[in-house]
Amino acid sequence: MTQTLVTKTLDFDDIQLANELFGPQNKNLTIISKESGVDLDTRGTALHASSADEGALHTVLNLITQLYGLLKSGNPIYAKDITYAYGMLLREPGVDLQKLFKDSVFVVSPKKTIAPKTLSQRDYVAALRKNEMVFAIGPAGTGKTYLAVAMALSMLLTKKVKKIILTRPAVEAGEKLGFLPGDLVEKVDPYLRPLYDALHDMLDSEKVSHMIETGIIEIAPLAFMRGRTLNNAFVILDEAQNTTPEQMKMFLTRMGYGSRMVVTGDVTQIDLPVCGQGRAPRSGLIETQRVLSNIEGIRFLHFHQDDVVRHPLVAKVVNAYERYTAELTNKE
């Protein structure tokens, strides 16, 4: 049975904003059409959308209408945000993109105001607020760790949690830290430096030092967390791709009442030692996606190279390595 092609038309009232929405040579519309399978055609300020799939057509019209509303309210739209916005509307048809933009800016301290820079980051911040357990997976430079630390401080300063716990697997030391000089904090300092950097970017050094000394911010090496129950805490596990499945299970089951857990990692950067007989190492982060993906209250977010917000060269480096890895895989 042949499906009937349905065509809907949107007519915009501002030609300049309409051109911004469509993108150079209709680049933005090409992205939307490729993602949805809906044919898009423009004539002046009018947009004609055609599809035999009324559900896809409705989602695309919703997306385009909301993107235009964002432009009218002064929010710029970038090509890399469009695919993410479409995915959000597929997942949650009732999501208000404009509300997401407005609600996602938050002040951590007098020193720093944190504002998500991409739609994927805004979705991440919304997920951190809504869910007790969040997994953020993607390449370096996408803000996974930085925004997690920002949200932790925000919740600490508004008394929604009583402490922050930072942890990271010390793969290079095989989690056997006894041979390193110094006390516990000094032993794991090299592995937690990115988390410290984020803290010092948001709070004065004296404040960070005081919070660590008083235990409000706790340094908790992954290997030392066994047997604990973490109540009323915001817990961040960074570089989680370097956990074993057993370590990941141990960590996740430490969660107590009133706590939040955020797990960040990049599954393309696994540094775990090779298993016996040359077998590839098993990453706890990869296995967790298979085990927990359908549990209510747990949210997985995936960042891509287009979400990199560091220096523009970082995105190019990430892209180059991904192409190189793909070529090696194809040769094998």
Side-chain angles (χ1 to χ4, degrees):
M1 182 178 177
T2 304
Q3 290 184 298
T4 304
L5 189 69
V6 178
T7 300
K8 299 285 186 180
T9 299
L10 295 174
D11 204 344
F12 303 102
D13 56 8
D14 187 314
I15 189 168
Q16 183 176 342
L17 291 180
N19 286 333
E20 282 187 53
L21 175 64
F22 301 158
Q25 288 80 51
N26 286 350
K27 179 182 176 182
N28 293 344
L29 298 183
T30 300
I31 294 171
I32 296 171
S33 185
K34 184 177 179 181
E35 287 290 324
S36 65
V38 174
D39 292 325
L40 299 172
D41 182 45
T42 61
R43 292 173 191 169
T45 58
L47 171 69
H48 305 288
S50 303
S51 178
D53 184 341
E54 291 195 46
L57 186 61
H58 177 77
T59 301
V60 165
L61 293 174
N62 183 13
L63 171 66
I64 291 172
T65 300
Q66 291 209 52
L67 292 177
Y68 186 71
L70 283 168
L71 287 171
K72 289 194 78 170
S73 64
N75 289 293
I77 298 297
Y78 303 102
K80 64 183 180 181
D81 287 335
I82 292 172
T83 300
Y84 205 87
Y86 178 70
M88 287 177 63
L89 289 172
L90 280 179
R91 188 174 64 247
E92 298 180 56
V95 70
D96 184 337
L97 297 180
Q98 192 162 344
K99 185 174 186 295
L100 192 59
F101 266 70
K102 288 181 178 179
D103 288 353
S104 59
V105 177
F106 55 95
V107 177
V108 174
S109 74
K111 183 179 178 182
K112 194 83 173 180
T113 300
I114 309 299
K117 297 178 180 178
T118 67
L119 197 55
S120 54
Q121 287 192 352
R122 289 178 167 88
D123 192 24
Y124 182 34
V125 169
L128 291 172
R129 285 177 170 158
K130 182 179 179 181
N131 300 275
E132 293 180 336
M133 188 177 290
V134 175
F135 292 79
I137 302 166
T142 50
K144 306 183 301 296
T145 301
Y146 191 85
L147 286 173
V149 172
M151 183 58 74
L153 283 172
S154 179
M155 292 187 71
L156 179 69
L157 296 174
T158 54
K159 302 187 185 305
K160 293 177 181 176
V161 296
K162 294 182 178 179
K163 68 186 305 181
I164 296 171
I165 299 175
L166 309 176
T167 185
R168 201 180 192 203
V171 172
E172 295 86 343
E175 291 278 9
K176 296 175 182 177
L177 304 171
F179 67 88
L180 294 174
D183 61 18
L184 181 60
V185 173
E186 292 169 331
K187 289 178 191 291
V188 298
D189 255 2
Y191 306 105
L192 294 162
R193 181 50 50 192
L195 298 171
Y196 280 124
D197 289 344
L199 284 171
H200 284 285
D201 194 45
M202 300 173 204
L203 292 173
D204 292 330
S205 296
E206 295 81 6
K207 184 73 171 176
V208 173
S209 298
H210 174 72
M211 287 181 165
I212 291 173
E213 289 169 5
T214 56
I216 296 173
I217 295 176
E218 181 184 344
I219 309 304
L222 189 58
F224 288 40
M225 294 182 69
R226 194 175 302 277
R228 300 182 61 188
T229 300
L230 308 174
N231 293 313
N232 302 307
F234 197 110
V235 191
I236 299 172
L237 170 59
D238 195 31
E239 299 289 339
Q241 75 276 4
N242 289 327
T243 61
T244 65
E246 294 76 18
Q247 287 172 329
M248 179 64 82
K249 180 182 177 183
M250 178 274 292
F251 170 75
L252 296 177
T253 54
R254 300 309 93 202
M255 188 173 190
Y257 289 103
S259 289
R260 298 288 180 102
M261 279 190 165
V262 182
V263 178
T264 70
D266 179 0
V267 294
T268 68
Q269 299 293 325
I270 297 172
D271 298 318
L272 289 167
V274 176
C275 303
Q277 300 179 340
R279 289 178 298 162
R282 291 168 61 216
S283 167
L285 183 58
I286 291 176
E287 189 165 293
T288 295
Q289 295 178 76
R290 300 170 185 152
V291 176
L292 304 180
S293 59
N294 295 318
I295 295 181
E296 187 176 350
I298 299 177
R299 179 76 187 279
F300 285 85
L301 293 104
H302 293 269
F303 294 85
H304 306 282
Q305 64 268 21
D306 288 343
D307 297 313
V308 173
V309 293
R310 290 182 184 171
H311 190 284
L313 277 177
V314 174
K316 294 179 181 179
V317 168
V318 171
N319 264 320
Y321 270 99
E322 288 193 352
R323 287 195 301 270
Y324 178 72
T325 302
E327 289 171 4
L328 287 179
T329 302
N330 290 334
K331 288 178 181 178
E332 294 174 359

